[in-house]
Amino acid sequence: MAAVSDIIMRHDLSPLPGEGGYFRFIDTFGENSGCIYYLITRDTFSSLHRLTDDEMWFFLEGGEAEQLIIHPDGREEVRKLSASCRSSLVKAECWQGTKLRSGEYALFSTVMSPRYRDDMYSSPSADVIDAHPAAKEFLP
């Protein structure tokens, strides 16, 4: 596997404030849709957050990652992203967090339509964390 620093350099990734990990905006397409590269490592992860619109994740390379999805009805779901399961659609208003489970890194591309804006993102309240103990593993 390529070293994390090589992945960051090859894709010109920068730290993603708030959520964690590294990213780079790739492009827009269609009616204001957008996609990014997104990297998590042993030291970084996608902290628990909620988006106002759907987000499609595509596993590109690296080790296995785990997504915690908390649906609006409170149901928890754990998804694996790896070479054997390459995509995950996280529906709007679901809480989501993603951590590395094996290897040195996992590289993804994510797509949103409309394109991501900062006002689409929210962090969990203490009530969300208290109701979902598994979510604590996905907090900075």
Side-chain angles (χ1 to χ4, degrees):
M1 282 191 187
V4 170
S5 59
D6 291 342
I7 299 289
I8 291 169
M9 189 179 305
R10 178 172 18 126
H11 293 292
D12 193 25
L13 304 176
S14 299
L16 181 56
E19 183 177 339
Y22 298 87
F23 86 109
R24 179 172 61 89
F25 176 72
I26 300 171
D27 209 347
T28 57
F29 59 94
E31 287 293 317
N32 196 29
S33 301
C35 58
I36 65 168
Y37 284 125
Y38 184 66
L39 176 74
I40 59 174
T41 68
R42 286 186 178 184
D43 301 322
T44 66
F45 59 94
S46 172
S47 62
L48 193 70
H49 65 285
R50 181 174 60 187
L51 299 171
T52 59
D53 290 88
D54 295 352
E55 181 178 33
M56 188 71 192
W57 286 65
F58 297 97
F59 176 87
L60 300 177
E61 65 179 79
E64 183 179 82
E66 178 179 279
Q67 279 187 319
L68 172 65
I69 310 293
I70 303 172
H71 296 270
D73 64 5
R75 180 175 46 93
E76 294 181 17
E77 178 182 0
V78 176
R79 298 179 186 166
K80 305 291 184 195
L81 286 163
S82 67
S84 62
C85 185
R86 292 194 174 268
S87 64
S88 173
L89 175 61
V90 181
K91 300 296 280 179
E93 302 302 328
C94 288
W95 294 103
Q96 61 170 302
T98 305
K99 289 189 87 95
L100 191 62
R101 288 297 175 216
S102 67
E104 298 293 319
Y105 71 92
L107 179 65
F108 307 93
S109 179
T110 72
V111 177
M112 288 186 70
S113 181
R115 179 182 170 184
Y116 174 81
R117 298 182 319 272
D118 287 341
D119 66 338
M120 295 174 159
Y121 181 99
S122 59
S123 297
S125 67
D127 292 342
V128 171
I129 303 307
D130 290 344
H132 301 280
K136 291 178 182 162
E137 190 178 337
F138 294 85
L139 296 176

